[in-house]
Amino acid sequence: MTEFLIKNADSVLTMDDKRRELSGADILIDSGQIVQIGHGLATNGEVHDASGCVVTPGLVNTHHHLYQTLTRAVPGGQDTLLFGWLQTLYPIWARFGPDEMFTSAQIGLAELALSGCTLSSDHLYLYPNGSRLEDTIAAASELGLRFHPTRGAMSIGESDGGLPPDSLAEAESDILNDMIRVVDAFHDPREGSMCRVGLAPCSPFSVSRDLMRDTALLARDKGVMLHTHLAENDEDIAYSKAQFGCRPGQYAEDLGWTGQDVWHAHCVKLDGAEIDLFARTRTGVAHCPCSNCRLGSGIAPVRAMRDCGVQVGLGVDGSASNDIANLMAEARQAMLLQRVANGADAMSAREALEIATRGGADVLGRPDCGRLMPGKRADIAVWDTRCVESAGSWDPAALLLAGPTRVRHLFVEGRQIVRDGHLTTIDLPRIIERQNTLARALRD
């Protein structure tokens, strides 16, 4: 990998420890790592002129279900709450196989990359018809995005009182064995890793307490992170109280699901005691504002979380409950919802962008990402503010107020993934055609 230089950026939003913003600055990259940030830097390698652009760390997506890009805007699920939405889509997802998993992951990751994302997690919790976690890992590797897939699971089917059809439920012994397999085969714990694997039973209403507890023990034995859905909506809280006799936070703590190696998706309905618990234990949260709006789940108390010291990142959630996976738009939505809930000064554009970069990296246990600093990974987004969205802006660096949502250039580990708004690593029109073919087959 050769040295290269990003030069003459109008503004570099470093998200470093001092949150510095540098005007007219350059970034020198070598071997996938940031070497130097400053002015008047030189290189013998390639030069990327960033005049008229704002440069940020690559955005980080902390929660997704990539397979759902094949079921966007399904009519039966467009206007339902969470549980009804799931019951509409489960029978469709049961028809998926490896091709559907691979292609949908390519589409979802491509959409994220074009919105400036360089690192994405994924929560794959169903494995019909021979599907495996490596179907998505292969898609991320081909595209060139840094990836944190999680081996999810559902073990309680309809016949046992669960929501999913029995065909999508797995035996818990099989789940644990496959968790061991994928961690041993694909998890790379080293700094700069392109793939880390997490363990992620789907939710408290789709697996047993024993599986939640056993997964936590396994994750700690293997040194990997834990992820699940928690406290997403009022139905979720009611279920926890009825089935477990406690709120979701207590349920999580009792089973070993708090700590800096754990992050929970949504957490819309956390109360004050649960927020304090998460802050004290350094438990992370993946905030998914668009999905929470789409499903009518509510507004997560992100302002209160951050004020208490909870680590918060952003997630686009599955495409079937968001329909769009634009992480820049997600960050804007996060900012706007906190203002709706708490006032116009509740969250600035820069704070929301910090959540989308440094915040997400910290939630995923990746302090080597999410900030532009010497020694950190060269995951960099270049935003052209000479666009119609920024025309007339007095503060082009306030990207979430008036700026592009599609990236001009994107670098992951120093490799250019997007050049002039187009992916460089895959044939996107061909993959879109394949995705639409698969979607038509599922409808028929």
Side-chain angles (χ1 to χ4, degrees):
M1 202 173 296
T2 58
E3 179 182 278
F4 68 93
L5 186 68
I6 298 173
K7 193 167 183 64
N8 294 328
D10 280 12
S11 184
V12 176
L13 307 183
T14 65
M15 299 299 169
D16 66 8
D17 295 342
K18 295 182 178 179
R19 310 302 193 267
R20 291 183 303 155
E21 298 184 11
L22 307 176
S23 299
D26 311 328
I27 305 174
L28 183 64
I29 294 101
D30 191 18
S31 301
Q33 196 172 55
I34 297 171
V35 176
Q36 190 175 357
I37 302 176
H39 297 85
L41 304 183
T43 181
N44 292 322
E46 187 175 358
V47 175
H48 297 268
D49 182 21
S51 299
C53 297
V54 173
V55 178
T56 71
L59 309 188
V60 179
N61 178 39
T62 61
H63 185 65
H64 207 332
H65 307 295
L66 288 166
Y67 74 91
Q68 293 180 10
T69 61
L70 264 172
T71 49
R72 302 195 216 229
V74 172
Q78 286 183 16
D79 304 310
T80 57
L81 298 176
L82 175 63
F83 284 13
W85 168 85
L86 285 170
Q87 289 169 324
T88 297
L89 290 166
Y90 278 142
I92 302 172
W93 296 335
R95 297 168 57 194
F96 280 28
D99 192 9
E100 285 80 5
M101 294 299 186
F102 176 81
T103 304
S104 58
Q106 279 195 314
I107 287 291
L109 291 168
E111 186 178 14
L112 284 170
L114 291 169
S115 73
C117 178
T118 52
L119 165 61
S120 181
S121 67
D122 184 45
H123 189 185
L124 182 58
Y125 54 81
L126 47 81
Y127 296 86
N129 306 311
S131 301
R132 299 195 297 177
L133 188 67
E134 49 262 49
D135 300 327
T136 62
I137 293 172
S141 178
E142 185 174 308
L143 183 63
L145 249 60
R146 207 179 294 278
F147 199 37
H148 199 136
T150 60
R151 205 302 182 182
M154 296 189 294
S155 63
I156 301 177
E158 283 180 309
S159 62
D160 294 321
L163 279 177
D166 289 345
S167 64
L168 290 177
E170 300 176 88
E172 296 191 348
S173 59
D174 292 341
I175 291 167
L176 291 167
N177 285 333
D178 198 55
M179 286 177 170
I180 293 170
R181 180 187 72 83
V182 296
V183 169
D184 288 348
F186 300 107
H187 178 67
D188 179 1
R190 295 172 295 178
E191 184 170 318
S193 166
M194 291 297 291
C195 183
R196 292 187 182 174
V197 176
L199 304 182
C202 182
S203 65
F205 53 81
S206 59
V207 300
S208 72
R209 293 172 66 98
D210 286 343
L211 183 62
M212 292 292 287
R213 185 181 293 108
D214 289 346
T215 302
L217 293 171
L218 176 60
R220 269 126 199 177
D221 179 63
K222 291 290 188 180
V224 300
M225 295 190 71
L226 290 162
H227 183 52
T228 193
H229 300 90
L230 199 77
E232 185 170 353
N233 63 10
D234 290 331
E235 293 172 285
D236 205 338
I237 302 298
Y239 183 93
S240 183
K241 288 180 176 179
Q243 296 298 317
F244 310 129
C246 63
R247 287 185 56 87
Q250 185 65 56
Y251 172 87
E253 185 178 32
D254 289 348
L255 297 178
W257 277 76
T258 55
Q260 62 182 4
D261 58 350
V262 183
W263 85 103
H264 294 286
H266 301 298
C267 298
V268 175
K269 299 297 181 177
L270 292 189
D271 65 14
E274 290 165 325
I275 291 172
D276 289 342
L277 169 66
F278 278 31
R280 185 173 68 254
T281 58
R282 305 299 294 162
T283 304
V285 170
H287 173 44
C288 306
C290 289
S291 174
N292 298 157
C293 289
R294 163 82 152 74
L295 294 174
S297 300
I299 302 174
V302 173
R303 180 71 276 150
M305 291 182 197
R306 283 184 54 89
D307 288 347
C308 285
V310 177
Q311 294 191 124
V312 179
L314 279 186
V316 298
D317 202 10
S319 297
S321 65
N322 183 342
D323 304 302
I324 295 172
N326 185 307
L327 202 50
M328 203 63 160
E330 199 78 35
R332 176 179 168 87
Q333 185 81 342
M335 174 189 70
L336 295 178
L337 283 179
Q338 292 310 301
R339 294 181 177 210
V340 167
N342 302 296
D345 59 351
M347 181 170 288
S348 70
R350 282 168 171 79
E351 183 180 7
L353 188 62
E354 178 182 324
I355 293 171
T357 52
R358 184 182 177 117
D362 290 347
V363 164
L364 295 181
R366 297 301 303 257
D368 54 339
C369 302
R371 58 270 276 161
L372 302 179
M373 300 169 59
K376 303 300 183 182
R377 311 319 301 177
D379 293 1
I380 302 170
V382 180
W383 307 90
D384 194 338
T385 53
R386 298 166 297 187
C387 59
V388 66
E389 297 92 339
S390 294
S393 174
W394 288 32
D395 182 9
L399 290 168
L400 300 185
L401 291 177
T405 59
R406 185 159 172 150
V407 75
R408 178 183 176 188
H409 303 312
L410 191 72
F411 302 88
V412 181
E413 192 68 7
R415 180 188 185 193
Q416 189 162 18
I417 302 301
V418 177
R419 179 182 294 115
D420 294 322
H422 299 282
L423 289 161
T424 65
T425 53
I426 60 172
D427 182 355
L428 186 56
R430 178 185 63 80
I431 296 165
I432 291 172
E433 182 179 358
R434 178 60 182 160
Q435 174 93 333
N436 287 332
T437 298
L438 292 171
R440 285 194 294 272
L442 291 167
R443 290 198 301 268
D444 293 343

